[in-house]
Amino acid sequence: MVRGKSMLMEMKMMTLLAIFLLLSDPFGVANANTEGDALFAFRRAVKDPNNVLQSWDPTLVDPCTWFHVTCDDDKRVTRLDLGHAKLSGHLVPELGRLQRLQFLELYKNDLIGPIPKELGDLKNLVSLGLYQNNLTGSIPTTLSNLSNIKFLRLNSNKLTGRIPRELAKLANLKILDLSENDLCGTFPTSGSFSKFSEQSFKNNPRLKGPELMGFVRYDTGGSCK
């Protein structure tokens, strides 16, 4: 009887503690839940034959205990490391809700479909590693909003269309690899692109070469999709 009362008191204390934490930082809890929902949307969009996402339990308060997810002291997601995980499926626009994400590493999987334009909302992103997948469609112009990006690696996919000129304004960009795709037109040579060699663009059979500043551009007229 005494033990039963003790357990009841302990449960009440835990409930009160949970309520206190919720009231003391409601926005933190809301953000954690939103980010958990965003990650779980990606979980639903992919097949996971090796069960690397088995720990992704949507009933938890936040995703910070999930494997391959790193959070900061505020329990906001800062890294997603799922390279070489044998995942197949699609990227989802909900990933753009991870506002403090710095590293999005999904390389060497079997992801298909387009790169969501919402990834351009990840203003704190430092590294976007989507190389060696089977992504299709064009490179979103919205990626030019990633003002903190240093590493942009989209090589070895099936991307088509022109290279957005807006990407040249990414002042912090140090590594760029768009090789091994099906991009067309010309590639920019101004801004941050001035420091990259043709190695960053190699093996795009329809890519005509660098943009000739001050002259007629290679990509005027013609079809490039």
Side-chain angles (χ1 to χ4, degrees):
M1 188 74 175
V2 174
R3 184 177 180 182
K5 287 183 179 179
S6 177
M7 289 180 65
L8 184 61
M9 285 292 294
E10 186 175 342
M11 290 176 64
K12 286 182 178 179
M13 289 291 291
M14 290 179 66
T15 302
L16 288 171
L17 178 61
I19 293 172
F20 172 76
L21 291 173
L22 179 61
L23 292 175
S24 63
D25 189 13
F27 295 108
V29 173
N31 284 325
N33 287 335
T34 298
E35 296 190 335
D37 291 344
L39 289 172
F40 202 71
F42 174 65
R43 170 69 186 89
R44 290 193 302 268
V46 297
K47 293 181 179 178
D48 176 24
N50 289 349
N51 293 320
V52 297
L53 305 178
Q54 192 171 21
S55 66
W56 287 28
D57 182 355
T59 65
L60 297 178
V61 174
D62 61 65
C64 299
T65 58
W66 298 359
F67 289 168
H68 312 289
V69 175
T70 304
C71 295
D72 60 17
D73 291 340
D74 297 324
K75 296 189 176 180
R76 302 290 298 277
V77 176
T78 57
R79 292 187 68 113
L80 183 58
D81 292 293
L82 284 167
H84 217 327
K86 296 188 176 179
L87 302 176
S88 61
H90 296 80
L91 297 172
V92 294
E94 287 87 347
L95 291 173
R97 298 177 187 170
L98 305 175
Q99 292 297 303
R100 293 194 191 177
L101 193 68
Q102 297 177 23
F103 295 87
L104 180 55
E105 307 296 343
L106 296 170
Y107 55 85
K108 294 185 179 179
N109 284 293
D110 190 20
L111 300 174
I112 61 174
I115 299 172
K117 67 180 187 302
E118 289 80 3
L119 295 191
D121 295 333
L122 301 173
K123 302 298 174 58
N124 289 300
L125 202 65
V126 172
S127 176
L128 179 59
L130 301 178
Y131 58 92
Q132 293 188 32
N133 280 285
N134 284 296
L135 298 170
T136 55
S138 60
I139 299 172
T141 303
T142 55
L143 296 188
S144 65
N145 295 328
L146 303 177
S147 57
N148 288 304
I149 195 84
K150 293 182 179 179
F151 310 101
L152 180 58
R153 289 168 286 200
L154 307 179
N155 53 294
S156 303
N157 281 287
K158 298 177 180 178
L159 299 173
T160 55
R162 303 183 192 278
I163 298 171
R165 298 295 179 270
E166 293 85 351
L167 296 181
K169 73 179 186 180
L170 296 174
N172 292 311
L173 196 60
K174 297 185 181 301
I175 301 292
L176 173 72
D177 197 344
L178 304 179
S179 64
E180 305 281 350
N181 280 290
D182 191 26
L183 301 170
C184 56
T186 62
F187 56 84
T189 56
S190 60
S192 62
F193 275 52
S194 63
K195 59 191 172 188
F196 300 123
S197 72
E198 294 193 14
Q199 288 295 110
S200 296
F201 313 99
K202 68 179 183 180
N203 294 333
N204 282 279
R206 297 193 297 145
L207 201 60
K208 296 177 181 178
E211 190 172 83
L212 297 179
M213 301 306 292
F215 298 91
V216 177
R217 296 183 178 185
Y218 285 137
D219 60 1
T220 54
S223 176
C224 176
K225 295 181 180 178

